[in-house]
Each structure stands twice: as C-alpha cells, then as structure tokens.
Amino acid sequence: MVNAPTVALQSIGADTSAPIGRHLLGVVNFTDKSSEITIDKACPRVSVNLAETVGDGFAEVWTTARPVTTGQFGTISWASDGEFFFGAFHIPELPQYAEATEASYTEVLELTESLGYRPFRIWHYISGLNEPNAAGLETYRDFCLGRARVLERSGITHDMPAATVIGAHGGGIVCYLLARRRGAHVNLENPRQVPAYHYPARYGPKSPNFARATHLTAADGSTFLYVSGTASILGHRSMHPGDVAAQTRLALDNVGYVIGPGNLFAHDLNAGQGLADLTAVKVYVRHRADLPVVREICRATLPESADVVYLNADICRSDLLVELEGIAPQQLATSGSPQ
Ligand SMILES: O=C(O)C1=C[C@@H](O)[C@H](O)C=C1
Ligand SMILES: CC(=O)C(=O)O
C-alpha cells in the first residue's frame, strides 16, 4: 500500500470512509450546497459550492497510510499522519478579498512551517472569480494581491507548488492543500509557457504564484505528478479565443508536455509520464453548453482508466473556456522499477 496520499473521486453521499488499510486525510465535497468546512476526529470535510445539483457533484476523498490527528489553527482546519498534511480554510463572501486572503495564507504558512511541513499542492475555489470587487478589481486579481503579499514577506513568491484557482458558484473562497514533512518535492515549469510568476502586469497588479506541476517521490520510491489547473496558454497569451475545442486540445497538450519525459529530464527527473498516466482529472468548463464538446475531446484523449469529472466553473481569465488538472501516479512494481 502506497505510503502517500491517494485520492478517489466518489459520488456525493457515497460512503466516504477509507478503504481497508487507509485512513481519511481530508474529504472535499463538490456540491450544490454553500461552501463550508467542518472537522471531526476523522478529518476536515470541505464543501465547495460548484455543482448544479447533487447529481452533478462528487466527493474528492484523500486517504493516507497511517492514522491521522486533526486540529484547528485560526481559520485552518487540518489533519496529519505525521508525514502528510491536509489543511483547509474558508473565507466567506466579502466585498474585497486581499486582506482576508493575506490573513489565512499567513496562518497556512505559520502552521505548516511550525509543524515542519511544506505544501506540494494547493486548490482554491472562489465565487465571483471574474467579477469586479468593491474597488473594481477583478476578484481573481484581488485574491492574487493578497496571496502575493504573504509570499513576498516569506520570500517564496517563486517557490510555490502546483495550484488551481477556479470559480465557485457562491460562498467566498475555499482553499485546501496537501503538504509533506520530509523529503523534497520538485516544482516543474512548462518551457512552452511563461512561468506564472513572470506574467506581464496586464494580467493583474501581482502575478499568480504557482508551478505548472509538482513532482513528489514517496518513501517507497513511488512518484506522483500533481498537475496545476492548465489552460490554453502559450507563452503568457491565451490562445484560441472563442474556440473551446481548440482550447481543450491545447490545454491537454500542455499537460502532456509538462509531465512528459523531455520536461522531466530537463528538471533532472527520470521516468516522465504521459496523458495515459493521468487520473483524478478535474475538467472545468466555463459554459455548460460546451460540456459535450469538451467531454468528447477528453474521452478521446485521456485513458479509460482515468477518473474524470467535469464542472461548470469560471476560469481565472475571462477569455479562457476550459481548464483541467490531474495527477499522474507512478507506482513502483514489486521489483522496484517504475511500472
Ligand atoms: O493563480 C493560480 O494559482 C492558478 C491560476 C490558474 O492559472 C490555474 O488554475 C492554476 C493556478
Ligand atoms: C490562467 C491560467 O490557467 C494559467 O495562468 O495557467
């Protein structure tokens, strides 16, 4: 059994207890209910308001190999098994988010640093993502302002892991993250894209802070590639405006490139992966009417083995129609060589 967090995408309301030999680390329900976070002795349970109906929703269930302890630190609900950590915070709907984002991100860094953990994957779901805040700044750019201020103070603006920022249907900001105590993970860039840290000022007063993917090696040598929300961007430009099919193909192509052997070799890593290795894929589609086209392209491109879910959501640039993320696990065969 892998001694690293693994994820299963289950239907909402399905029994979200851990499989035999695994322990719950965190449960994220994508539902039609309001965003909230609860915590019990088992783990934090996050609800993200991002499904049209319960039927559209799903549960993202993270488990780990060892029993966890849970805790609360300011706005952060967390669980840890001593090596891996799951944390989450919720900021209610506000006229502006930078200040509250700064406060919660400060708590995330204080908590993970005090416990000796380093984040390796972060997700954010933000209602009104493309809407102007009370000061007229797009909410996504408002969020980036708050995040960047904290990371600048901590000197880690260019060392953040894979991330996702996607719109929610209401409820303010929900953020959840995975972190690890020991061992280094490697943040990857995609040479076909300008690193988000270096986006020109036209995209906002502060650049986003995330890597294109993060590569993690577990104690048993298994590796996991966590791919950020990836869109139809080359260089720093959004490509194929208005053409959701072309945007879907380029987003998939960007994912295949960033986890491919050439890019991993360029980051001094072995055993690149491919789209055929992806699982736990979340596809975010701006217009519901585009879902059938996006599904068709994804089904033709992704392996049948992949768990793929589709969500109707706003994306961090208003000219982007689709974005997707995934995980490429590489379990070691018993011989110790990559499968
Ligand atoms: O700002 C981010 O962290 C981010 C935005 C999107 O490009 C994508 O969801 C990945 C990360
Ligand atoms: C916008 C987006 O998806 C990116 O910056 O990669």
Side-chain angles (χ1 to χ4, degrees), residues 67-195:
V68 305
T69 54
T70 62
Q72 187 74 31
F73 178 83
T75 62
I76 317 298
S77 302
W78 62 272
S80 165
D81 71 355
E83 179 176 4
F84 292 99
F85 168 99
F86 176 99
F89 66 78
H90 174 222
I91 299 172
E93 288 187 14
L94 294 172
Q96 294 182 244
Y97 286 108
E99 203 172 312
T101 300
E102 250 186 280
S104 287
Y105 247 81
T106 299
E107 288 176 345
V108 166
L109 294 186
E110 281 177 2
L111 175 61
T112 49
E113 282 164 14
S114 67
L115 293 175
Y117 289 96
R118 184 173 167 234
F120 62 85
R121 184 63 169 95
I122 307 178
W123 290 265
H124 317 76
Y125 295 90
I126 305 177
S127 57
L129 188 66
N130 304 129
E131 300 305 314
N133 70 7
L137 179 67
E138 183 193 43
T139 295
Y140 173 59
R141 300 180 183 207
D142 183 9
F143 161 76
C144 287
L145 201 55
R147 174 176 54 179
R149 285 174 184 158
V150 177
L151 302 181
E152 285 165 0
R153 283 201 296 272
S154 309
I156 53 175
T157 50
H158 292 43
D159 189 29
M160 289 303 282
T164 294
V165 173
I166 279 288
H169 294 170
I173 297 180
V174 168
C175 170
Y176 62 96
L177 66 133
L178 295 171
R180 183 186 190 185
R181 187 195 293 276
R182 280 180 290 278
H185 51 258
V186 179
N187 294 326
L188 309 182
E189 289 303 326
N190 180 340
R192 303 195 307 187
Q193 296 182 308
V194 168

